[in-house]
Every structure is written in C-alpha cells, then in structure tokens.
Amino acid sequence: MSAATEPYAAPPTTGGPPPGRGARRTWIVLLLALACAAVLLTALPDGKDDREGGPACAATTVASAAPERTLTRAFASYGDDGARTDDWTGGDGTHSVKLPDGRVLWLFSDTFLGQVHAPPNPQGQPHVWRDTSAPMVRNSGVVTDRSGALERTLGTPMFADPAPGQWRWPVAAKVEPRSPGADEDVLRVLLWTRATGTGPWIYGVPAATEVATLSLPDLRVENITQISDQRGVADPEKRVLYGTTTVDDGEWTYVFGGTDAQAAARPTSHAYVARVPRGGLADPTAWEYWDGRDWTRTGKPRPVLGNGDHKGVGSAFTVVRTRGTYVLLTMAAGTEGLRHVTSYWSCSPAGPWHGPAKAFAPPLPKDSAGAGGSGSGAGAPDTAGAAAAAPYNPQAHPAVSGDGRLVLSYDVNWLDPAAANAQAHINRNVELYRPRFVTLRFQRES
C-alpha cells in the first residue's frame, strides 16, 4: 500500500447497485457467493461495497493542516468593527451553507452582539475586549456577499426560543427542493433544542431535533418542524440529537448526530446516522435511522461509532465524502481531545469506521495558554480541569473550499471549572470566542 496526497473534491452524486458477485463455476460456488452477498446486503446500507481498498474507496486520513488566516482575520475584522451595535462580535457552533445566488450563510449558536473595545483591556493586556453589558443571543446568522466579504448580521435571534428555559442552536444547513422532486428550492436548517440544566449540564440538556424551513433568497423563517423529541429518554447522556453534519450521496441525504456524554472530564460520545430522501428533511415520516443492520423508521437507532473509551466523537463533529470515502473529523477521545483533532474513515455512512488516525493540534490565539496570558498559543494543557483556552467543534466548510483543499473551522473557548472565570476570560480577549480556520489535505492509501 502506498500513500498519496488526496485533494478534497466535491462528492459525486452516484449511488448505483453493488458490483457483480462473480462468475458461476459450480452450483456450490454459486450458492456460497449468493450467501456471502446476502450477508453483505444485510450488514451494509443499500448493499454498498465496504471492502477496504475496494472500488472508489480507500483509507483516507489528514495529510496536512495549515492555518487559514484569511478567513480567521475576516471574522476578527468583522467582529471588531464598531460601526453597528446590533451585529455579531463573537460566537461558536460555526456552520455554513452556500446559497443559490452565490452568497454564503454562516450560522452560529451562542452569539455576542454589541461593541468591543480597543486594547489594552482592563487587566492591561493587549487584547480587544468586551464589557459585561454586551448582549448575548442563542443563535445568529452572518451573510457574505457574492465576493466572499462578510456583509451583515441577520436579525437575531434567527430562531426564537421554543419555550421559557429552552433555546435553539442551529447546526447543519442545506439547500434542497421544498419537497422531493419539487422545482422550488428552500433552505433547511437543522436545530438542536436544549433546556436549562444543572450540574454537568451547564450548557443545557439535550431535548429535541428540529428542522427550520427558510424561503430563498430572503432567508425568512417559514416554519419549524420537530423531527425527534428526546425528552422521554430519562438519561440525558443517551439522548441523540441529529444534524451536526449532513452528506449527500445519490438521492439520499445522510444526517449525522450523536449523544452528549458528560460523565468524565473529557467524555467520548457516540455517533449515529439517519437518512432522508432529498427534499424530505422537514418531513419526520421520511427519516430512516440506522439500527445496526438496516434503515428503519420505527426501530431503535444504534451508534455507528464510539466505544466509550478511545474511539468516539465529541458532541459536535463533521463528515465529508471524497472519492467514495467518508471522512469524519472530531476532537480526539480522552484528554488528547483537549487540544487535538483526529479522523476516521469509512466506505459507508453506517460504518464500519476505521481509526482514529494520527491527530493534529489546531493553533490557538496568542497569549491564551495560561491564566496569566503569557502563553504562546500552542495549545491547551494535556490534563483535564486546568484553566486554559481549548478548541472544540471542528466543522467542514465545502462552501468555501476548493483548489484541492478542505476548509475546517474550530471554535475556541476558555476551559475552566468555574463558569464565571471562563466568561471573564472570553470577555477580556474576544479572540477566544470566534471561529478559527485551517485548510486540510487528505492522504489516500492506494
């Protein structure tokens, strides 16, 4: 096996039948071949070939990761611009979608608005900063124009709270037909509904998956449909929210999701996958879930990745498809996940997923490695519970990728056992709560 650098390419829209099962030699060989094919069709979605090194699929890992400074600086400049007081100055949960007219919509979860102030901050550090009066909303959208320049912040919040003590975080979004086969396109945005929690659930308890339908080109929210209500699952760590990422393959849209484990300092969550016919994201009856053997609308979903230890995903991860191979990018399991992004690969959205591969550490803002602000920004500490900046939520952005590269964003927050301390740090250095970007190239075994 030799390794070759594999540029990212948009996934082909193919999804044909599996290859032939071999020549007929004797009736015994024929029966064996048919039996093996039956097992394969039962074990894999749509009967797709999952042989390692098989047609159009091979082991694929990250060959290189380089800082994407242009995008990182663009969001920093936009957030620092004090011309308006009702626009975005920082946020996390970064997702993007290219609109039919060439614009790109960037979606964020918790978002700071208002103004930021020039350095030095009140602690005498050389950081742009915000004061405690800065408003925060649960979600927002920022639009780039056709040239790629950040243009404006949409009215916030984009998606209203469903009830007191609950809110919506936007995740993956895609343009699709209003209904299967329809001529009119709309924008679908998957939403995670969360509710106020205590103890380890300071960032909210998982509640439900929803889908918002937005008209084009005006991005008006028409309606929000609930897809999966998880509040009946007693253990919040076993609730599955879908929409961290989507991947198109043929006539299907595969929707990935996961649990949100909180039991350990750096927990490992489980990944799940569902599928929907193109145009059907907003129809709960069209969703099919992988149950470990087949796609089902009524059976119990089963995880496709995660063993609670050294294999698994963060609560948010991303998946892309390149030359028939699915590549999943996530924060690493265990304490390594405090600073490293790793990957898995598969020939099918339902697995088996191979990995984890060698991880890489995305760069952090300068002067963010320690509470005193004297670090180099090389990364967060290797031990859980220490106070420092930490990356999370890696997300792919095909809308701004190209030239053989995949753009990946990651969010940065201050890791601190005391929530008040974390909030103080992201106020005194606004770089800590803005997306940062790297460009990836893949390596393919051949």
Side-chain angles (χ1 to χ4, degrees):
M1 300 273 284
S2 61
T5 300
E6 171 68 15
Y8 173 76
T13 55
T14 58
R21 298 183 175 88
R24 181 184 305 181
R25 298 178 180 176
T26 66
W27 64 272
I28 297 177
V29 173
L30 176 61
L31 289 176
L32 289 173
L34 291 172
C36 290
V39 171
L40 177 64
L41 289 168
T42 301
L44 298 173
D46 300 327
K48 291 184 177 179
D49 186 6
D50 190 49
R51 295 171 296 173
E52 293 184 29
C57 180
T60 304
T61 57
V62 175
S64 64
E68 172 52 65
R69 295 184 176 89
T70 300
L71 272 171
T72 300
R73 289 169 180 166
F75 275 96
S77 297
Y78 183 82
D80 290 348
D81 185 352
R84 292 176 54 181
T85 60
D86 61 348
D87 62 353
W88 182 99
T89 65
D92 71 350
T94 311
H95 290 78
S96 68
V97 57
K98 190 169 186 177
L99 304 177
D101 59 10
R103 296 174 299 161
V104 174
L105 172 63
W106 296 85
L107 294 163
F108 296 91
S109 297
D110 291 347
T111 300
F112 284 103
L113 305 175
Q115 289 185 317
V116 297
H117 309 286
N121 65 15
Q123 291 73 35
Q125 298 166 322
H127 304 315
V128 177
W129 59 284
R130 68 171 62 86
D131 58 47
T132 57
S133 67
M136 191 192 81
V137 293
R138 287 299 190 180
N139 56 74
S140 69
V142 178
V143 179
T144 68
D145 62 22
R146 293 170 181 83
S147 71
L150 292 164
E151 183 178 48
R152 65 188 178 101
T153 300
L154 301 177
T156 56
M158 284 188 67
F159 309 101
D161 294 347
Q166 299 180 22
W167 61 88
R168 291 174 167 126
W169 283 343
V171 279
K174 73 182 302 292
V175 175
E176 68 168 13
R178 183 175 288 278
S179 59
D183 293 331
E184 180 191 8
D185 283 343
V186 294
L187 176 65
R188 311 283 195 200
V189 179
L190 287 119
L191 305 170
W192 287 349
T193 300
R194 298 180 79 92
T196 303
T198 58
W201 300 98
I202 60 174
Y203 298 110
V205 179
T209 301
E210 299 176 312
V211 171
T213 297
L214 282 69
S215 58
L216 292 170
D218 59 344
L219 299 176
R220 178 179 59 86
V221 178
E222 295 184 350
N223 56 69
I224 296 177
T225 302
Q226 187 175 95
I227 301 299
S228 172
D229 188 350
Q230 293 289 289
R231 285 168 287 196
V233 179
D235 184 354
E237 290 197 4
K238 295 182 179 179
R239 297 178 182 181
V240 183
L241 299 186
Y242 288 89
T244 183
T245 189
T246 67
V247 179
D248 287 339
D249 186 358
E251 294 304 310
W252 294 100
T253 295
Y254 292 94
V255 186
F256 291 84
T259 54
D260 192 1
Q262 299 288 324
R266 192 66 180 184
T268 302
S269 299
H270 292 79
Y272 292 74
V273 66
R275 70 177 187 179
V276 188
R278 289 198 184 190
L281 274 174
D283 180 5
T285 66
W287 282 59
E288 298 179 352
Y289 303 87
W290 182 250
D291 69 358
R293 293 179 61 85
D294 203 352
W295 300 100
T296 176
R297 294 180 180 175
T298 58
K300 183 178 180 180
R302 298 289 182 184
V304 297
L305 176 62
N307 60 8
D309 187 12
H310 65 286
K311 285 180 178 285
V313 296
S315 58
F317 57 94
T318 194
V319 181
V320 296
R321 185 169 180 262
T322 175
R323 289 187 59 187
T325 302
Y326 291 83
V327 180
L328 183 152
L329 295 140
T330 181
M331 301 309 296
T335 56
E336 188 181 22
L338 294 170
R339 60 183 299 175
H340 288 91
V341 175
T342 190
S343 65
Y344 297 81
W345 68 273
S346 175
C347 296
S348 158
W353 288 92
H354 309 274
K358 182 179 179 181
F360 66 91
L364 297 178
K366 293 182 178 180
D367 301 323
S368 63
S374 60
S376 65
D382 291 328
T383 57
Y392 62 106
N393 186 35
Q395 289 295 325
H397 298 279
V400 293
S401 300
D403 299 326
R405 63 190 179 95
L406 174 69
V407 173
L408 185 82
S409 71
Y410 56 100
D411 301 321
V412 181
N413 208 330
W414 188 263
L415 184 69
D416 198 300
N421 290 342
Q423 182 67 52
H425 276 86
I426 64 175
N427 280 340
R428 70 180 59 162
N429 181 2
V430 298
E431 285 190 69
L432 288 173
Y433 206 66
R434 289 174 176 170
R436 302 179 73 82
F437 298 86
V438 292
T439 58
L440 307 182
R441 290 183 182 273
F442 292 128
Q443 177 174 286
R444 181 182 176 91
E445 300 291 338
S446 59

